């Protein structure tokens, strides 16, 4: 006969686990909202930067501009910036971005190109350190909600590698946030900057909402309303010097958006994983409760049979 006390203890243990997973789900939801607010807050700067770059692009022919960040070289060494998380319990988020980085490394090795890894997040750092990969720099313990200062610190290091010609190209591998149940690792070239990549595009922001008591994410396309600079505008400095000063800011902004997308992807993955864990705990509690009731009923029946047998014996 099943041990009733053991079943009761297990039911209580599952209840406690469910409370923890539900709390983690709500915390992740609150952080997704904060990430959403930060994306909205950084939009004015990004819009102003796009306005100036668009104006300079119309004034200058980028093909004739000799700037270090726009100069393409023969690729012998590539720096790969991999953005992962510091913690687990977020489904396949970390594993997916690490596997994408490994695939990219194999592609470069097949082409005979050397590589260096710059790793963001403890999970990627631990993974590649165990495999003795060529790691140039690591960043761990960053804020769950990325800040401009953190993005600037990483961007400065990437610029130093590229401008010193230690590497000939810098690639970024991060997880693009699609929805609460969908995200995908993508590869993007950060340096050298492509003139075509500086063109003005519509932007997207994500909003966390609730429908029927359940969390959902809506992506909203925000058209970029930038206009060409007035034709009679005079520059106190050479436009090339202005462009040279703005390109690092553009790189910082690109990196900050990638960190924000990765953070939102991690939080969404954690929300989904904790929601699934809570649902599984609820189902397990139902199964255990049914087993407990059956065992209790069998124990009561056994006691009644023993009482009846004792009465007949008298």
């Amino acid at each position: 006969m099943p041990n009733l006390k053991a079943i009761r203890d297990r039911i209580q243990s599952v209840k406690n686990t469910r409370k923890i997973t539900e709390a983690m789900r709500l915390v992740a939801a609150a952080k997704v909202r904060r990430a959403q607010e930060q994306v909205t807050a950084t939009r004015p700067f990004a819009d102003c930067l796009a306005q100036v770059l668009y104006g300079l692009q119309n004034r200058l022919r980028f093909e004739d501009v000799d700037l270090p960040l726009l100069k393409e070289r023969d690729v012998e060494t590539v720096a790969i910036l991999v953005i992962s998380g510091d913690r687990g319990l977020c489904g396949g988020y970390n594993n997916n971005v690490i596997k994408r980085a490994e695939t990219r490394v194999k592609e470069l090795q097949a082409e005979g190109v050397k590589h260096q890894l710059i790793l963001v997040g403890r999970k990627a750092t631990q993974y590649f350190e165990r495999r003795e990969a060529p790691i140039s720099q690591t960043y761990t313990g960053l804020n769950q909600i990325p800040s401009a200062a953190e993005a600037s610190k990483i961007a400065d290091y990437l610029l130093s590698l590229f401008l010193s010609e230690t590497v000939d190209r810098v690639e970024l591998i991060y997880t693009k946030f699609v929805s609460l149940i969908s995200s995908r690792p993508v590869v993007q070239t950060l340096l050298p900057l492509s003139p075509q990549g500086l063109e003005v595009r519509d932007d997207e922001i994500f909003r966390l909402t609730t429908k029927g008591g359940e969390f959902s994410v809506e992506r909203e396309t925000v058209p970029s309303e930038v206009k060409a600079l007035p034709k009679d505008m005079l520059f106190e400095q050479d436009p090339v010097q202005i462009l040279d000063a703005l390109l690092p800011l553009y790189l910082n902004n690109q990196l900050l958006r990638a960190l924000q997308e990765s953070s939102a992807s991690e939080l969404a993955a954690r929300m989904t994983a904790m929601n699934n864990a809570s649902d599984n705990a609820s189902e397990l509690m139902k199964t255990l409760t049914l087993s407990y009731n059956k065992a209790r009923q069998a124990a009561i029946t056994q006691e009644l049979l023993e009482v009846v047998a004792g009465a007949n014996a008298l």
Side-chain angles (χ1 to χ4, degrees), residues 3-119:
N3 189 332
L4 294 179
K5 183 178 184 306
I7 297 178
R8 284 199 304 269
D9 291 343
R10 192 175 180 196
I11 290 175
Q12 186 61 42
S13 176
V14 174
K15 284 183 179 179
N16 294 336
T17 301
R18 187 181 183 281
K19 290 179 181 179
I20 294 173
T21 57
E22 186 65 17
M24 293 180 67
R25 183 179 75 92
L26 295 176
V27 169
K31 290 183 177 180
V32 168
R33 290 186 184 275
R34 288 176 56 196
Q36 166 189 316
E37 293 172 357
Q38 189 190 47
V39 170
T40 305
T42 56
R43 276 195 53 79
F45 173 78
D47 290 342
C48 290
L49 184 60
Q51 173 82 39
V52 178
L53 287 174
Y54 180 69
L56 291 173
Q57 186 180 26
N58 288 339
R59 288 289 186 92
L60 302 172
R61 291 184 176 273
F62 281 4
E63 301 81 24
D64 300 332
V65 176
D66 185 17
L67 292 177
L69 296 185
L70 297 176
K71 185 177 181 181
E72 295 188 4
R73 303 190 292 262
D74 293 336
V75 179
E76 296 181 0
T77 305
V78 175
I80 304 176
L81 175 63
V82 183
I83 301 178
S84 70
D86 284 331
R87 297 179 295 171
L89 298 178
C90 51
Y93 166 78
N94 291 308
N95 183 65
N96 291 339
V97 73
I98 289 173
K99 294 302 182 185
R100 185 65 186 90
E102 282 191 318
T103 301
R104 183 54 183 158
V105 167
K106 292 178 181 178
E107 292 173 354
L108 293 175
Q109 290 176 342
E111 297 172 2
V113 177
K114 300 177 183 178
H115 69 280
Q116 296 181 12
L117 295 177
I118 298 98
L119 306 175

